[in-house]
Amino acid sequence: MLFSWLRSRRRRALAAGPFPAEWERLLVAGVRQVAWLPPDDGQLLRGMVAVLLAEKRFEGCSGLELDDEIRVVTAGQMALTALGLSVDLFDRLGSVLLYPGDFKAPRSATLGSGVDIEWREPLEGEVSTTGAMVLSWPRVRAGGRLRDGARALVIHETAHLLDGLDGEIDGAITGGDGRWEEEFAVCRDHYAEVLDEGRAVPFDDYATTSPAEFFAVASECFFQDPHPLWRFDHTLYDLLAMAWRQDPRRRVPASGGARRGG
Ligand SMILES: [Zn+2]
């Protein structure tokens, strides 16, 4: 109780403090969406960035040397995604690990025969149950500059984090009344049908892997290129707006957010 009171007092002080000019330059250059935020939201985002940079341990892996650009651009995208919720979304996250490219994560399993096997799975990013977000820095940078289409790694991993708040990363969002999950399942079926018919879909078909991946990949598109997503499926857009408590369609230019970065 005392700890949380002290923490929120510290957070208020961090959020109200001056935002260094160098961070400002890096944030605006590296997180293109910041320029489209209304002033109040922009201020909120900068406060969240200051809190994340103070509270989370950012670490470079496999020889990646961290600098302010990497820290500010990564925290900026985390804050953008959580803007309608709260920086509390990241409370269980201790570290943000950044790699110079895609990386291989150690995996192990026991086969039915009782034999243990180990292998390394190539990944762009992941959120681990031990409280770390692991990211490929080139993909983080591309997402912030809107140069990766509707993809954005930080948004993807933050979506898994939100999804996992209820203990399970399963595409079901905490606080839903059951109707959210039902309508979300209908949206997944609709997406799969359109894909089967060979028609265009606004986001990557990696979404069909599982309900959790559908939520994460659709969330990337929701933030990065919301207009095609809304035209594709109004209900899906509304469900995502409910989950994230944001309406990016109001700020991202209709000409297509993802394409503006070139
Ligand atoms: Zn995923």
Side-chain angles (χ1 to χ4, degrees), residues 90-135:
F90 302 105
D91 275 359
R92 274 191 260 171
L93 193 71
S95 312
V96 181
L97 310 181
L98 289 125
Y99 279 80
D102 292 1
F103 56 94
K104 290 194 173 144
R107 294 284 185 261
S108 61
T110 305
L111 299 177
S113 55
V115 175
D116 292 327
I117 54 163
E118 290 182 0
W119 72 100
R120 294 172 78 78
E121 183 185 2
L123 290 175
E124 303 172 3
E126 72 174 340
V127 167
S128 79
T129 47
T130 55
M133 188 184 278
V134 192
L135 304 161

mmCIF file of all heavy atoms in Angstrom, residues 90-135:
data_model
loop_
_atom_site.group_PDB
_atom_site.id
_atom_site.type_symbol
_atom_site.label_atom_id
_atom_site.label_comp_id
_atom_site.label_asym_id
_atom_site.label_seq_id
_atom_site.Cartn_x
_atom_site.Cartn_y
_atom_site.Cartn_z
ATOM 1 N N PHE A 90 2.527 -1.960 -17.772
ATOM 2 C CA PHE A 90 3.886 -2.522 -17.836
ATOM 3 C C PHE A 90 4.437 -2.889 -16.459
ATOM 4 O O PHE A 90 5.618 -3.184 -16.333
ATOM 5 C CB PHE A 90 4.823 -1.516 -18.521
ATOM 6 C CG PHE A 90 4.372 -1.136 -19.899
ATOM 7 C CD1 PHE A 90 3.799 0.095 -20.157
ATOM 8 C CD2 PHE A 90 4.506 -2.039 -20.949
ATOM 9 C CE1 PHE A 90 3.364 0.437 -21.428
ATOM 10 C CE2 PHE A 90 4.072 -1.706 -22.230
ATOM 11 C CZ PHE A 90 3.507 -0.466 -22.461
ATOM 12 N N ASP A 91 3.585 -2.884 -15.423
ATOM 13 C CA ASP A 91 4.095 -3.090 -14.065
ATOM 14 C C ASP A 91 4.841 -4.405 -13.871
ATOM 15 O O ASP A 91 5.794 -4.469 -13.111
ATOM 16 C CB ASP A 91 2.951 -2.981 -13.038
ATOM 17 C CG ASP A 91 2.693 -1.530 -12.649
ATOM 18 O OD1 ASP A 91 3.406 -0.644 -13.163
ATOM 19 O OD2 ASP A 91 1.780 -1.283 -11.844
ATOM 20 N N ARG A 92 4.379 -5.445 -14.553
ATOM 21 C CA ARG A 92 5.036 -6.740 -14.342
ATOM 22 C C ARG A 92 6.296 -6.904 -15.195
ATOM 23 O O ARG A 92 6.992 -7.910 -15.124
ATOM 24 C CB ARG A 92 4.061 -7.887 -14.646
ATOM 25 C CG ARG A 92 3.222 -8.230 -13.417
ATOM 26 C CD ARG A 92 2.466 -9.514 -13.628
ATOM 27 N NE ARG A 92 1.091 -9.236 -13.995
ATOM 28 C CZ ARG A 92 0.236 -10.160 -14.408
ATOM 29 N NH1 ARG A 92 0.604 -11.412 -14.547
ATOM 30 N NH2 ARG A 92 -1.003 -9.826 -14.714
ATOM 31 N N LEU A 93 6.537 -5.883 -16.018
ATOM 32 C CA LEU A 93 7.682 -5.943 -16.923
ATOM 33 C C LEU A 93 8.888 -5.322 -16.236
ATOM 34 O O LEU A 93 8.849 -4.149 -15.860
ATOM 35 C CB LEU A 93 7.326 -5.149 -18.189
ATOM 36 C CG LEU A 93 8.216 -5.318 -19.393
ATOM 37 C CD1 LEU A 93 8.025 -6.697 -20.002
ATOM 38 C CD2 LEU A 93 7.893 -4.246 -20.427
ATOM 39 N N GLY A 94 9.966 -6.118 -16.050
ATOM 40 C CA GLY A 94 11.158 -5.571 -15.414
ATOM 41 C C GLY A 94 12.149 -5.030 -16.433
ATOM 42 O O GLY A 94 12.712 -3.959 -16.267
ATOM 43 N N SER A 95 12.358 -5.812 -17.506
ATOM 44 C CA SER A 95 13.409 -5.463 -18.467
ATOM 45 C C SER A 95 12.886 -5.402 -19.894
ATOM 46 O O SER A 95 11.928 -6.082 -20.246
ATOM 47 C CB SER A 95 14.516 -6.521 -18.473
ATOM 48 O OG SER A 95 14.912 -6.832 -17.190
ATOM 49 N N VAL A 96 13.550 -4.573 -20.683
ATOM 50 C CA VAL A 96 13.325 -4.540 -22.123
ATOM 51 C C VAL A 96 14.678 -4.859 -22.754
ATOM 52 O O VAL A 96 15.644 -4.116 -22.582
ATOM 53 C CB VAL A 96 12.824 -3.145 -22.568
ATOM 54 C CG1 VAL A 96 12.577 -3.133 -24.072
ATOM 55 C CG2 VAL A 96 11.552 -2.758 -21.814
ATOM 56 N N LEU A 97 14.740 -6.023 -23.415
ATOM 57 C CA LEU A 97 16.007 -6.477 -24.005
ATOM 58 C C LEU A 97 15.971 -6.224 -25.505
ATOM 59 O O LEU A 97 15.001 -6.582 -26.175
ATOM 60 C CB LEU A 97 16.207 -7.976 -23.756
ATOM 61 C CG LEU A 97 16.036 -8.471 -22.309
ATOM 62 C CD1 LEU A 97 16.290 -9.975 -22.223
ATOM 63 C CD2 LEU A 97 16.985 -7.729 -21.384
ATOM 64 N N LEU A 98 17.018 -5.603 -26.020
ATOM 65 C CA LEU A 98 17.034 -5.288 -27.445
ATOM 66 C C LEU A 98 18.206 -5.969 -28.143
ATOM 67 O O LEU A 98 19.331 -5.963 -27.637
ATOM 68 C CB LEU A 98 17.113 -3.768 -27.626
ATOM 69 C CG LEU A 98 15.779 -3.117 -27.232
ATOM 70 C CD1 LEU A 98 15.974 -2.050 -26.198
ATOM 71 C CD2 LEU A 98 15.044 -2.598 -28.456
ATOM 72 N N TYR A 99 17.901 -6.549 -29.302
ATOM 73 C CA TYR A 99 18.902 -7.258 -30.096
ATOM 74 C C TYR A 99 19.202 -6.472 -31.370
ATOM 75 O O TYR A 99 18.360 -5.724 -31.863
ATOM 76 C CB TYR A 99 18.380 -8.654 -30.468
ATOM 77 C CG TYR A 99 18.548 -9.667 -29.373
ATOM 78 C CD1 TYR A 99 17.665 -9.721 -28.304
ATOM 79 C CD2 TYR A 99 19.627 -10.564 -29.388
ATOM 80 C CE1 TYR A 99 17.831 -10.655 -27.277
ATOM 81 C CE2 TYR A 99 19.802 -11.499 -28.373
ATOM 82 C CZ TYR A 99 18.903 -11.534 -27.325
ATOM 83 O OH TYR A 99 19.075 -12.449 -26.310
ATOM 84 N N PRO A 100 20.385 -6.674 -31.957
ATOM 85 C CA PRO A 100 20.733 -5.957 -33.196
ATOM 86 C C PRO A 100 19.973 -6.478 -34.417
ATOM 87 O O PRO A 100 20.112 -5.920 -35.516
ATOM 88 C CB PRO A 100 22.242 -6.193 -33.345
ATOM 89 C CG PRO A 100 22.547 -7.379 -32.518
ATOM 90 C CD PRO A 100 21.517 -7.449 -31.432
ATOM 91 N N GLY A 101 19.188 -7.517 -34.273
ATOM 92 C CA GLY A 101 18.398 -8.075 -35.378
ATOM 93 C C GLY A 101 17.509 -9.157 -34.819
ATOM 94 O O GLY A 101 17.327 -9.237 -33.588
ATOM 95 N N ASP A 102 16.946 -10.007 -35.693
ATOM 96 C CA ASP A 102 16.162 -11.134 -35.189
ATOM 97 C C ASP A 102 17.108 -12.014 -34.363
ATOM 98 O O ASP A 102 18.315 -12.001 -34.567
ATOM 99 C CB ASP A 102 15.544 -11.920 -36.352
ATOM 100 C CG ASP A 102 14.474 -11.070 -37.072
ATOM 101 O OD1 ASP A 102 14.268 -9.916 -36.661
ATOM 102 O OD2 ASP A 102 13.884 -11.557 -38.030
ATOM 103 N N PHE A 103 16.538 -12.755 -33.440
ATOM 104 C CA PHE A 103 17.388 -13.512 -32.521
ATOM 105 C C PHE A 103 16.837 -14.918 -32.352
ATOM 106 O O PHE A 103 15.741 -15.225 -32.834
ATOM 107 C CB PHE A 103 17.454 -12.794 -31.163
ATOM 108 C CG PHE A 103 16.090 -12.551 -30.567
ATOM 109 C CD1 PHE A 103 15.536 -13.452 -29.679
ATOM 110 C CD2 PHE A 103 15.345 -11.418 -30.931
ATOM 111 C CE1 PHE A 103 14.269 -13.238 -29.153
ATOM 112 C CE2 PHE A 103 14.082 -11.199 -30.400
ATOM 113 C CZ PHE A 103 13.550 -12.115 -29.512
ATOM 114 N N LYS A 104 17.623 -15.756 -31.696
ATOM 115 C CA LYS A 104 17.165 -17.131 -31.485
ATOM 116 C C LYS A 104 16.957 -17.367 -30.000
ATOM 117 O O LYS A 104 17.855 -17.146 -29.199
ATOM 118 C CB LYS A 104 18.202 -18.102 -32.050
ATOM 119 C CG LYS A 104 18.236 -18.053 -33.574
ATOM 120 C CD LYS A 104 18.980 -19.222 -34.153
ATOM 121 C CE LYS A 104 18.827 -19.226 -35.672
ATOM 122 N NZ LYS A 104 20.033 -19.675 -36.351
ATOM 123 N N ALA A 105 15.744 -17.779 -29.662
ATOM 124 C CA ALA A 105 15.418 -18.002 -28.252
ATOM 125 C C ALA A 105 15.532 -19.492 -27.941
ATOM 126 O O ALA A 105 15.078 -20.326 -28.730
ATOM 127 C CB ALA A 105 14.002 -17.522 -27.974
ATOM 128 N N PRO A 106 16.148 -19.833 -26.798
ATOM 129 C CA PRO A 106 16.270 -21.248 -26.437
ATOM 130 C C PRO A 106 14.897 -21.839 -26.090
ATOM 131 O O PRO A 106 14.081 -21.200 -25.434
ATOM 132 C CB PRO A 106 17.183 -21.224 -25.203
ATOM 133 C CG PRO A 106 17.116 -19.831 -24.679
ATOM 134 C CD PRO A 106 16.721 -18.924 -25.810
ATOM 135 N N ARG A 107 14.647 -23.029 -26.585
ATOM 136 C CA ARG A 107 13.387 -23.718 -26.317
ATOM 137 C C ARG A 107 13.707 -25.145 -25.886
ATOM 138 O O ARG A 107 14.701 -25.715 -26.323
ATOM 139 C CB ARG A 107 12.531 -23.787 -27.594
ATOM 140 C CG ARG A 107 12.050 -22.425 -28.090
ATOM 141 C CD ARG A 107 10.891 -21.923 -27.217
ATOM 142 N NE ARG A 107 10.331 -20.685 -27.719
ATOM 143 C CZ ARG A 107 10.634 -19.472 -27.246
ATOM 144 N NH1 ARG A 107 11.521 -19.336 -26.283
ATOM 145 N NH2 ARG A 107 10.064 -18.399 -27.744
ATOM 146 N N SER A 108 12.851 -25.724 -25.060
ATOM 147 C CA SER A 108 13.041 -27.124 -24.699
ATOM 148 C C SER A 108 11.683 -27.764 -24.480
ATOM 149 O O SER A 108 10.688 -27.081 -24.202
ATOM 150 C CB SER A 108 13.897 -27.242 -23.432
ATOM 151 O OG SER A 108 13.237 -26.599 -22.364
ATOM 152 N N ALA A 109 11.653 -29.069 -24.666
ATOM 153 C CA ALA A 109 10.404 -29.810 -24.467
ATOM 154 C C ALA A 109 10.758 -31.258 -24.148
ATOM 155 O O ALA A 109 11.866 -31.718 -24.430
ATOM 156 C CB ALA A 109 9.546 -29.742 -25.720
ATOM 157 N N THR A 110 9.802 -31.943 -23.546
ATOM 158 C CA THR A 110 9.991 -33.374 -23.298
ATOM 159 C C THR A 110 9.054 -34.145 -24.219
ATOM 160 O O THR A 110 7.841 -33.892 -24.232
ATOM 161 C CB THR A 110 9.685 -33.714 -21.823
ATOM 162 O OG1 THR A 110 10.496 -32.886 -20.991
ATOM 163 C CG2 THR A 110 9.971 -35.163 -21.523
ATOM 164 N N LEU A 111 9.624 -35.027 -25.016
ATOM 165 C CA LEU A 111 8.813 -35.818 -25.950
ATOM 166 C C LEU A 111 8.033 -36.893 -25.182
ATOM 167 O O LEU A 111 8.366 -37.199 -24.027
ATOM 168 C CB LEU A 111 9.728 -36.496 -26.980
ATOM 169 C CG LEU A 111 10.555 -35.551 -27.851
ATOM 170 C CD1 LEU A 111 11.476 -36.349 -28.769
ATOM 171 C CD2 LEU A 111 9.649 -34.641 -28.688
ATOM 172 N N GLY A 112 7.032 -37.438 -25.837
ATOM 173 C CA GLY A 112 6.221 -38.489 -25.231
ATOM 174 C C GLY A 112 7.072 -39.649 -24.737
ATOM 175 O O GLY A 112 6.761 -40.300 -23.734
ATOM 176 N N SER A 113 8.185 -39.891 -25.418
ATOM 177 C CA SER A 113 9.072 -40.998 -25.059
ATOM 178 C C SER A 113 9.918 -40.670 -23.826
ATOM 179 O O SER A 113 10.700 -41.486 -23.366
ATOM 180 C CB SER A 113 9.992 -41.306 -26.237
ATOM 181 O OG SER A 113 10.680 -40.105 -26.599
ATOM 182 N N GLY A 114 9.764 -39.436 -23.301
ATOM 183 C CA GLY A 114 10.534 -39.043 -22.122
ATOM 184 C C GLY A 114 11.864 -38.402 -22.460
ATOM 185 O O GLY A 114 12.620 -38.009 -21.576
ATOM 186 N N VAL A 115 12.150 -38.289 -23.756
ATOM 187 C CA VAL A 115 13.431 -37.685 -24.156
ATOM 188 C C VAL A 115 13.291 -36.162 -24.163
ATOM 189 O O VAL A 115 12.331 -35.615 -24.705
ATOM 190 C CB VAL A 115 13.827 -38.185 -25.578
ATOM 191 C CG1 VAL A 115 15.091 -37.480 -26.065
ATOM 192 C CG2 VAL A 115 14.005 -39.689 -25.568
ATOM 193 N N ASP A 116 14.254 -35.477 -23.526
ATOM 194 C CA ASP A 116 14.261 -34.007 -23.532
ATOM 195 C C ASP A 116 14.944 -33.513 -24.807
ATOM 196 O O ASP A 116 16.004 -34.020 -25.165
ATOM 197 C CB ASP A 116 15.030 -33.467 -22.321
ATOM 198 C CG ASP A 116 14.295 -33.760 -21.020
ATOM 199 O OD1 ASP A 116 13.052 -33.769 -21.054
ATOM 200 O OD2 ASP A 116 14.964 -34.003 -20.000
ATOM 201 N N ILE A 117 14.307 -32.557 -25.448
ATOM 202 C CA ILE A 117 14.968 -31.966 -26.618
ATOM 203 C C ILE A 117 15.083 -30.455 -26.415
ATOM 204 O O ILE A 117 14.268 -29.844 -25.723
ATOM 205 C CB ILE A 117 14.219 -32.261 -27.948
ATOM 206 C CG1 ILE A 117 12.753 -31.823 -27.854
ATOM 207 C CG2 ILE A 117 14.314 -33.723 -28.328
ATOM 208 C CD1 ILE A 117 12.078 -31.704 -29.196
ATOM 209 N N GLU A 118 16.123 -29.899 -27.036
ATOM 210 C CA GLU A 118 16.343 -28.451 -26.969
ATOM 211 C C GLU A 118 16.586 -27.937 -28.368
ATOM 212 O O GLU A 118 17.160 -28.639 -29.197
ATOM 213 C CB GLU A 118 17.576 -28.148 -26.097
ATOM 214 C CG GLU A 118 17.338 -28.430 -24.640
ATOM 215 C CD GLU A 118 18.547 -28.079 -23.782
ATOM 216 O OE1 GLU A 118 19.562 -27.608 -24.340
ATOM 217 O OE2 GLU A 118 18.456 -28.289 -22.563
ATOM 218 N N TRP A 119 16.081 -26.733 -28.639
ATOM 219 C CA TRP A 119 16.349 -26.124 -29.941
ATOM 220 C C TRP A 119 16.294 -24.607 -29.798
ATOM 221 O O TRP A 119 15.975 -24.100 -28.717
ATOM 222 C CB TRP A 119 15.365 -26.618 -30.989
ATOM 223 C CG TRP A 119 13.963 -26.099 -30.844
ATOM 224 C CD1 TRP A 119 13.404 -25.078 -31.555
ATOM 225 C CD2 TRP A 119 12.934 -26.579 -29.962
ATOM 226 N NE1 TRP A 119 12.090 -24.889 -31.158
ATOM 227 C CE2 TRP A 119 11.777 -25.785 -30.181
ATOM 228 C CE3 TRP A 119 12.882 -27.585 -28.987
ATOM 229 C CZ2 TRP A 119 10.602 -25.979 -29.480
ATOM 230 C CZ3 TRP A 119 11.686 -27.763 -28.285
ATOM 231 C CH2 TRP A 119 10.569 -26.974 -28.536
ATOM 232 N N ARG A 120 16.635 -23.907 -30.878
ATOM 233 C CA ARG A 120 16.604 -22.444 -30.832
ATOM 234 C C ARG A 120 15.622 -21.939 -31.878
ATOM 235 O O ARG A 120 15.731 -22.291 -33.045
ATOM 236 C CB ARG A 120 18.008 -21.881 -31.066
ATOM 237 C CG ARG A 120 18.926 -22.254 -29.918
ATOM 238 C CD ARG A 120 20.355 -21.877 -30.194
ATOM 239 N NE ARG A 120 20.607 -20.453 -30.010
ATOM 240 C CZ ARG A 120 20.758 -19.859 -28.844
ATOM 241 N NH1 ARG A 120 20.677 -20.556 -27.731
ATOM 242 N NH2 ARG A 120 21.003 -18.573 -28.764
ATOM 243 N N GLU A 121 14.650 -21.160 -31.424
ATOM 244 C CA GLU A 121 13.597 -20.682 -32.329
ATOM 245 C C GLU A 121 13.907 -19.243 -32.771
ATOM 246 O O GLU A 121 14.104 -18.367 -31.930
ATOM 247 C CB GLU A 121 12.249 -20.704 -31.596
ATOM 248 C CG GLU A 121 11.095 -20.299 -32.485
ATOM 249 C CD GLU A 121 9.765 -20.194 -31.717
ATOM 250 O OE1 GLU A 121 9.753 -20.403 -30.490
ATOM 251 O OE2 GLU A 121 8.768 -19.885 -32.355
ATOM 252 N N PRO A 122 13.964 -19.011 -34.104
ATOM 253 C CA PRO A 122 14.223 -17.635 -34.558
ATOM 254 C C PRO A 122 13.013 -16.741 -34.302
ATOM 255 O O PRO A 122 11.879 -17.127 -34.578
ATOM 256 C CB PRO A 122 14.466 -17.797 -36.072
ATOM 257 C CG PRO A 122 13.959 -19.139 -36.432
ATOM 258 C CD PRO A 122 13.764 -19.956 -35.192
ATOM 259 N N LEU A 123 13.237 -15.562 -33.731
ATOM 260 C CA LEU A 123 12.145 -14.663 -33.341
ATOM 261 C C LEU A 123 12.482 -13.212 -33.650
ATOM 262 O O LEU A 123 13.650 -12.827 -33.691
ATOM 263 C CB LEU A 123 11.898 -14.761 -31.834
ATOM 264 C CG LEU A 123 11.279 -16.037 -31.256
ATOM 265 C CD1 LEU A 123 11.245 -15.933 -29.742
ATOM 266 C CD2 LEU A 123 9.878 -16.259 -31.796
ATOM 267 N N GLU A 124 11.417 -12.396 -33.812
ATOM 268 C CA GLU A 124 11.580 -10.936 -33.934
ATOM 269 C C GLU A 124 11.429 -10.295 -32.557
ATOM 270 O O GLU A 124 11.981 -9.242 -32.282
ATOM 271 C CB GLU A 124 10.479 -10.343 -34.818
ATOM 272 C CG GLU A 124 10.392 -10.927 -36.197
ATOM 273 C CD GLU A 124 9.148 -10.435 -36.937
ATOM 274 O OE1 GLU A 124 8.389 -9.605 -36.390
ATOM 275 O OE2 GLU A 124 8.951 -10.881 -38.067
ATOM 276 N N GLY A 125 10.592 -10.925 -31.733
ATOM 277 C CA GLY A 125 10.340 -10.377 -30.408
ATOM 278 C C GLY A 125 9.502 -11.339 -29.597
ATOM 279 O O GLY A 125 8.888 -12.256 -30.151
ATOM 280 N N GLU A 126 9.489 -11.135 -28.294
ATOM 281 C CA GLU A 126 8.588 -11.915 -27.454
ATOM 282 C C GLU A 126 8.457 -11.247 -26.089
ATOM 283 O O GLU A 126 9.311 -10.460 -25.682
ATOM 284 C CB GLU A 126 9.054 -13.368 -27.301
ATOM 285 C CG GLU A 126 10.270 -13.572 -26.451
ATOM 286 C CD GLU A 126 10.588 -15.051 -26.216
ATOM 287 O OE1 GLU A 126 9.689 -15.904 -26.373
ATOM 288 O OE2 GLU A 126 11.729 -15.357 -25.854
ATOM 289 N N VAL A 127 7.362 -11.576 -25.425
ATOM 290 C CA VAL A 127 7.193 -11.156 -24.039
ATOM 291 C C VAL A 127 7.286 -12.422 -23.214
ATOM 292 O O VAL A 127 6.546 -13.374 -23.469
ATOM 293 C CB VAL A 127 5.832 -10.477 -23.816
ATOM 294 C CG1 VAL A 127 5.537 -10.326 -22.343
ATOM 295 C CG2 VAL A 127 5.817 -9.103 -24.450
ATOM 296 N N SER A 128 8.232 -12.454 -22.280
ATOM 297 C CA SER A 128 8.405 -13.684 -21.516
ATOM 298 C C SER A 128 7.607 -13.602 -20.223
ATOM 299 O O SER A 128 7.290 -12.514 -19.733
ATOM 300 C CB SER A 128 9.882 -13.908 -21.198
ATOM 301 O OG SER A 128 10.249 -13.079 -20.115
ATOM 302 N N THR A 129 7.319 -14.761 -19.694
ATOM 303 C CA THR A 129 6.556 -14.822 -18.450
ATOM 304 C C THR A 129 7.417 -14.372 -17.274
ATOM 305 O O THR A 129 6.909 -14.116 -16.192
ATOM 306 C CB THR A 129 6.073 -16.262 -18.196
ATOM 307 O OG1 THR A 129 7.190 -17.133 -18.407
ATOM 308 C CG2 THR A 129 4.949 -16.640 -19.130
ATOM 309 N N THR A 130 8.713 -14.265 -17.484
ATOM 310 C CA THR A 130 9.607 -13.853 -16.399
ATOM 311 C C THR A 130 9.745 -12.334 -16.313
ATOM 312 O O THR A 130 10.560 -11.823 -15.557
ATOM 313 C CB THR A 130 11.008 -14.475 -16.578
ATOM 314 O OG1 THR A 130 11.479 -14.124 -17.892
ATOM 315 C CG2 THR A 130 10.978 -15.965 -16.438
ATOM 316 N N GLY A 131 8.956 -11.609 -17.117
ATOM 317 C CA GLY A 131 8.939 -10.160 -16.970
ATOM 318 C C GLY A 131 9.863 -9.397 -17.895
ATOM 319 O O GLY A 131 10.291 -8.297 -17.567
ATOM 320 N N ALA A 132 10.202 -9.987 -19.045
ATOM 321 C CA ALA A 132 11.046 -9.267 -20.000
ATOM 322 C C ALA A 132 10.347 -9.162 -21.359
ATOM 323 O O ALA A 132 9.634 -10.070 -21.773
ATOM 324 C CB ALA A 132 12.380 -9.981 -20.175
ATOM 325 N N MET A 133 10.530 -8.010 -22.010
ATOM 326 C CA MET A 133 10.105 -7.873 -23.397
ATOM 327 C C MET A 133 11.389 -7.909 -24.227
ATOM 328 O O MET A 133 12.339 -7.186 -23.928
ATOM 329 C CB MET A 133 9.354 -6.552 -23.596
ATOM 330 C CG MET A 133 8.715 -6.426 -24.974
ATOM 331 S SD MET A 133 7.930 -4.806 -25.232
ATOM 332 C CE MET A 133 6.356 -5.037 -24.442
ATOM 333 N N VAL A 134 11.412 -8.801 -25.222
ATOM 334 C CA VAL A 134 12.628 -8.991 -26.014
ATOM 335 C C VAL A 134 12.324 -8.542 -27.443
ATOM 336 O O VAL A 134 11.316 -8.962 -28.026
ATOM 337 C CB VAL A 134 13.064 -10.476 -25.999
ATOM 338 C CG1 VAL A 134 14.466 -10.627 -26.569
ATOM 339 C CG2 VAL A 134 13.004 -11.042 -24.585
ATOM 340 N N LEU A 135 13.169 -7.685 -28.004
ATOM 341 C CA LEU A 135 12.832 -7.032 -29.271
ATOM 342 C C LEU A 135 14.029 -6.946 -30.200
ATOM 343 O O LEU A 135 15.163 -6.758 -29.754
ATOM 344 C CB LEU A 135 12.353 -5.599 -28.991
ATOM 345 C CG LEU A 135 11.175 -5.411 -28.039
ATOM 346 C CD1 LEU A 135 11.135 -3.977 -27.525
ATOM 347 C CD2 LEU A 135 9.869 -5.773 -28.735
#
